[in-house]
Amino acid sequence: MTRATYSEARLADHVDRLGAEHPPIDLASVDFTVRRPDELNHRYGHVLDYMARVELEVDRNVLELTTLLPDPPAIDRRFYADVWQPQEIRHGLILDELQVQLGRPAATPDLTTVGAKLRVLGALAHLTAFQDVCRMLYYLTGMATERSAVLAYNLLHDGVAAMGETAVAQTVIAPIRRQEPGHYAFYMLSARGLWQQLAGWQRWTVRRMRALSFAPVGANDARQAADFGAVMRSLHAGAPDDFAEQISRVERDLLWAHRSGLRVPPYVAKAFREAVELAHLRRPA
Ligand SMILES: [Fe+2]
Ligand SMILES: [Fe+2]
């Protein structure tokens, strides 16, 4: 079995398992009981809003995908349609309902704007060799996004549990965070498999384009980057370089294996530092 076929078989097993073991969260299983709504809102209201928006924007991500990848592999289509989109949209709806119950306005996700850069990439992606560059970029983004989600939900879960908000911790955050590692693994396996198949010029192009386009999850402009920085601060996510390192290890090992001793890709570290600085400029700690 070649390496490509082996990773394809693993991916198919993985998607089957996710579909069977992780149905979308049943809304009836969620208990929105909150002991101290004002306190929870004060500490984590904006965190819930950011996460709800990003989760709900999965519908725009699917639009972006169809623009970016006119001809995706069948396994990708199955993952997006059967696992990823149905799970993420439920995460968004649940988090949004929680913030509304805390007295906050509902999230305002952008469900339709596909940026000009992506449309240009999509046009180029009709060339098969370039489509693989786009796919690789998409897997890298998915990996960073899902790893960020895993870390953020861990921190949010522990923070909410420490406040004594047991219902929210156990029936909102815990079930959501249980589904994120499976998404991460899909993108990680996909990225590892595809990277082995790319030619030298494709790898070079991926590195260049990734360095130019990286942004923390959900941070599409300076205001959202500041929001992201504020989320990191409220979650006590630690030094930006540490968080950046944790979400980009596999990316570093794949793309930058030739740069021995590199702790974190510089564009990832820079984006996280900037987000924290923007949040600090808006509201000093
Ligand atoms: Fe999610
Ligand atoms: Fe996810």
Side-chain angles (χ1 to χ4, degrees), residues 103-126:
R104 302 176 57 86
T108 49
D110 174 354
L111 302 179
T112 51
T113 311
V114 175
K117 265 192 247 166
L118 262 178
R119 284 201 301 272
V120 171
L121 278 181
L124 289 169
H126 284 84

Side-chain angles (χ1 to χ4, degrees), residues 258-274:
H258 54 294
R259 296 257 184 97
S260 59
L262 184 72
R263 191 184 145 207
V264 48
Y267 49 88
V268 180
K270 180 166 173 273
F272 278 83
R273 271 185 228 140
E274 280 175 2

Side-chain angles (χ1 to χ4, degrees), residues 37-158:
D38 290 345
E39 187 65 19
L40 186 61
N41 184 21
H42 177 68
R43 277 218 220 164
Y44 292 122
H46 68 106
V47 176
L48 296 171
D49 181 57
Y50 195 92
M51 290 172 153
R53 174 176 66 79
V54 171
E55 298 277 12
L56 290 170
E57 285 181 348
V58 67
D59 278 339
R60 194 192 71 227
N61 298 149
V62 171
L63 253 185
E64 289 171 346
L65 255 177
T66 45
T67 307
L68 192 60
L69 304 177
D71 184 25
I75 186 69
D76 291 50
R77 265 200 296 255
R78 194 144 64 85
F79 174 70
Y80 301 138
D82 297 349
V83 176
W84 190 57
Q85 195 271 355
Q87 290 185 2
E88 301 290 33
I89 204 80
R90 210 48 80 77
H91 297 175
L93 291 172
I94 292 169
L95 293 170
D96 209 25
E97 177 61 27
L98 176 59
Q99 76 159 335
V100 168
Q101 295 215 6
L102 294 179
R104 302 176 57 86
T108 49
D110 174 354
L111 302 179
T112 51
T113 311
V114 175
K117 265 192 247 166
L118 262 178
R119 284 201 301 272
V120 171
L121 278 181
L124 289 169
H126 284 84
L127 310 167
T128 308
F130 202 79
Q131 172 149 211
D132 284 347
V133 170
C134 292
R135 265 175 69 205
M136 190 68 211
L137 289 166
Y138 201 80
Y139 295 152
L140 292 170
T141 300
M143 233 183 354
T145 297
E146 300 294 352
R147 186 81 186 117
S148 300
V150 172
L151 296 175
Y153 285 124
N154 280 341
L155 293 166
L156 181 60
H157 176 272
D158 293 353

